[in-house]
Amino acid sequence: MANKRIGKQTVQLENPPSILSAASIVGPKEGEGPLRMYFDMIIDDELWGEKSWEKAESKLMRETIDKLLSKSGISNQSVNYILAGDLLNQISASTFALRDTGISFLGVYGACSTMTESMSLGSFLVDGKFADNVICITSSHFCSAEKQFRYPLELGSQRPPTAQWTVTGSGGVLLSSQGSGPYITHVTTGKIVDMGIKDANNMGAAMAPAAADTLVTHFKDTGIYPDSYDLILTGDLGTLGMEITNELMKQQGYDISDRYNDCGAMIYDVKRQDAHCGGSGCGCSATVFGGFVYQELLKGNLNNVLFIATGALLSPSSSQQGESIPGIAHAVAIHRNLS
Amino acid sequence: MQKMYTKQEYLKYVEEKSPKSKVLRNVTRAFVIGGLICIVGQFISNLIISKGVKPEDAAGLTSLIMIFFGAFFTGLNVYDELGRFAGAGSIVPITGFANSIVSPAMEYKREGFVVGVGARMFIIAGPVIVYGISASVFAGILYFLLK
């Protein structure tokens, strides 16, 4: 019997894993943003001494793993699994980053929802006593993502005002059966929600219904009220997606606006940095969580956080064929102390 | 209970909610920058003609020089900044056409000269060339029949 399940889509963890360490490395643009003091490292240029953007993205992830290990004092050998994913075809940024680690690897893809997808699965592994230490990590890179999903960088084109800017960066966490928190206590796994948005330059609107769906499901499944959280944080809906989510939530009887924020809206000073609707990409939620949220949890400024990374599950081919964009959102509840 | 909007309602709501492009500002910028690029072209054309080149040859020569400038400033990482500001003003002139060929060539250089630069160079300009040539063939046939 699956006795840890509560409600339709939620798991309440019996042995909540502790987030032993978190780390983040970001690109120059993110390093000029309002969260710059929270990142472990800001690289000077987007190639970071590598020959290609793809290689630079792999290096971002590799170095972030090194930081996770050194911060937690856990050795390479003691890590049982790495759960990682990114936006490149065949999640190649992750696989190339990890080929020399010698740690069991499970690749995950949830577009920009990958961070909470990997944290969800990592929590299951630790909670189920299949692992003691699990690394959950993702990355994205503005240049490699533009190359794969949009136009060449040097093409002189304009972006529409609803567009978002892919974050260059990698963020991750090390989950452990040991440690003294913060703990992951609940996991609500999202289902695919597609409201028919076809514009790949308006991903916030495409993903917002999925975020609202997972949020409402989480509250219903657990019976927890939104005001038990200090912060409800979605992944990369951007300023427009955030507004829509707020409104969709209100329609369903949940007013979360006083404690709700979005990583995409936080990572850039949207006006000054010409980021239109804000940041996006796997690295967006990963670096904001690995930097800002984790440090504020440790300081005690945040105690209970609901973290919902959001993904737009499109491919360049599906867009060109006129398909709408399926959205997804996975939530993990994080508490500083177990009550 | 969930999904209060139907798909149609949601699309309409998003359409209304989404920030709109600043059309007047964009059109003005495109007009000014596009006009400036054309003035540079005209200046070059006049210069060539004053050196004794026949006007019909000067047109081709001017295009060549403008294409060079488009490619050159793409290589210097300047043309994308110009494009972000001017939009159609720097896309429509022939310099924009050069930009659309050089930018993917730069992007895919790391995949090698055959499957990278060679194969990808025309991913943006390709359709323009295909339909441009098709349209001119069609116009030529019409012209032949009607003459």
Side-chain angles (χ1 to χ4, degrees):
Chain A
M1 266 300 280
N3 58 359
K4 293 175 189 174
R5 294 194 68 84
I6 51 171
K8 188 166 166 273
Q9 288 162 236
T10 304
V11 166
Q12 181 167 16
L13 301 170
E14 223 167 70
N15 316 299
S18 178
I19 306 175
L20 216 53
S21 65
S24 58
I25 301 179
V26 296
K29 190 180 173 100
E30 295 70 27
E32 289 168 7
L35 301 180
R36 58 187 168 277
M37 60 283 220
Y38 291 101
F39 301 124
D40 292 302
M41 192 177 176
I42 297 163
I43 61 173
D44 300 332
D45 81 300
E46 271 151 342
L47 271 176
W48 204 10
E50 295 292 318
K51 285 207 176 86
S52 70
W53 297 315
E54 291 82 359
K55 285 191 166 132
E57 186 176 343
S58 292
K59 186 174 174 185
L60 279 170
M61 188 181 277
R62 207 163 47 236
E63 299 283 332
T64 306
I65 291 173
D66 284 348
K67 292 213 179 293
L68 279 173
L69 292 173
S70 64
K71 278 180 167 187
S72 59
I74 296 266
S75 75
N76 209 347
Q77 278 77 26
S78 313
V79 178
N80 304 117
Y81 293 98
I82 291 188
L83 305 176
D86 57 86
L87 292 177
L88 300 186
N89 288 333
Q90 289 81 40
I91 53 169
S92 56
S94 305
T95 51
F96 284 81
L98 302 175
R99 61 179 160 184
D100 294 324
T101 53
I103 302 171
S104 300
F105 162 65
L106 292 166
V108 286
Y109 184 82
C112 311
S113 72
T114 305
M115 191 61 212
T116 46
E117 183 178 2
S118 61
M119 284 169 79
S120 303
L121 294 168
S123 303
F124 296 159
L125 288 173
V126 175
D127 180 68
K129 303 193 191 298
F130 300 107
D132 279 319
N133 299 302
V134 179
I135 288 179
C136 310
I137 189 166
T138 71
S139 69
S140 57
H141 192 297
F142 174 74
C143 305
S144 62
E146 285 292 303
K147 181 176 173 182
Q148 181 170 307
F149 289 98
R150 297 190 188 94
Y151 295 115
L153 283 188
E154 298 302 328
L155 185 72
S157 60
Q158 276 175 335
R159 301 163 150 264
T162 52
Q164 289 173 253
W165 191 277
T166 306
V167 165
T168 299
S170 174
V173 293
L174 199 157
L175 304 183
S176 176
S177 55
Q178 310 298 315
S180 52
Y183 302 94
I184 298 181
T185 57
H186 296 81
V187 172
T188 303
T189 305
K191 56 180 184 283
I192 293 174
V193 177
D194 186 339
M195 288 296 275
I197 299 284
K198 291 185 177 176
D199 182 2
N201 277 310
N202 197 351
M203 298 216 274
M207 298 186 290
D213 185 83
T214 300
L215 275 169
V216 170
T217 308
H218 175 81
F219 297 136
K220 282 187 178 159
D221 283 355
T222 57
I224 299 173
Y225 291 101
D227 56 12
S228 340
Y229 292 106
D230 319 311
L231 175 66
I232 296 171
L233 184 69
T234 48
D236 60 345
L237 298 178
T239 49
L240 174 64
M242 207 179 140
E243 261 180 67
I244 296 174
T245 304
N246 251 326
E247 215 147 307
L248 293 176
M249 290 305 289
K250 270 188 198 143
Q251 282 185 353
Q252 305 198 47
Y254 295 92
D255 188 354
I256 56 168
S257 52
D258 59 335
R259 58 202 65 233
Y260 173 43
N261 214 333
D262 179 78
C263 302
M266 290 167 75
I267 195 162
Y268 300 121
D269 183 338
V270 175
K271 284 223 167 66
R272 182 175 59 84
Q273 295 187 283
D274 192 31
H276 298 277
C277 268
S280 70
C282 301
C284 181
S285 55
T287 55
V288 172
F289 185 84
F292 169 77
V293 178
Y294 188 71
Q295 286 174 34
E296 292 298 316
L297 277 165
L298 289 189
K299 284 183 209 159
N301 295 334
L302 292 173
N303 286 302
N304 307 303
V305 176
L306 186 61
F307 178 39
I308 314 111
T310 42
L313 302 172
L314 78 171
S315 80
S317 304
S318 74
S319 291
Q320 284 162 7
Q321 291 173 9
E323 285 279 0
S324 56
I325 303 169
I328 192 142
H330 304 299
V332 289
I334 296 138
H335 295 274
R336 190 158 163 257
N337 299 303
L338 291 175
S339 50
Chain B
M1 248 310 266
Q2 299 193 12
K3 277 190 207 162
M4 309 292 275
Y5 283 121
T6 63
K7 281 192 182 181
Q8 276 81 9
E9 284 165 354
Y10 184 68
L11 289 177
K12 198 164 157 267
Y13 161 74
V14 168
E15 176 77 36
E16 282 163 11
K17 189 102 188 160
S18 299
K20 306 287 175 293
S21 294
K22 293 173 182 151
V23 176
L24 192 68
R25 189 197 71 178
N26 288 350
V27 167
T28 312
R29 284 177 175 181
F31 179 79
V32 172
I33 300 294
L36 282 175
I37 293 173
C38 293
I39 289 172
V40 173
Q42 190 62 49
F43 176 77
I44 291 169
S45 174
N46 289 357
L47 190 76
I48 297 170
I49 292 171
S50 74
K51 301 285 178 198
V53 177
K54 276 186 281 178
E56 51 270 37
D57 295 337
L61 212 53
T62 305
S63 298
L64 274 181
I65 293 170
M66 293 307 282
I67 287 171
F68 168 76
F69 280 138
F72 185 68
F73 286 110
T74 303
L76 292 181
N77 301 350
V78 172
Y79 209 88
D80 60 321
E81 301 289 337
L82 182 70
R84 194 174 301 160
F85 179 80
S90 59
I91 292 172
V92 175
I94 202 160
T95 46
F97 191 67
N99 169 252
S100 76
I101 295 170
V102 176
S103 57
M106 288 167 68
E107 186 103 349
Y108 287 96
K109 200 177 67 191
R110 293 179 187 111
E111 278 77 7
F113 280 101
V114 177
V115 295
V117 175
R120 307 280 193 152
M121 201 176 210
F122 292 101
I123 47 169
I124 295 159
V128 182
I129 296 171
V130 168
Y131 294 110
I133 291 175
S134 303
S136 59
V137 168
F138 183 70
I141 292 170
L142 269 187
Y143 179 74
F144 176 76
L145 292 176
L146 294 176
K147 203 169 73 165

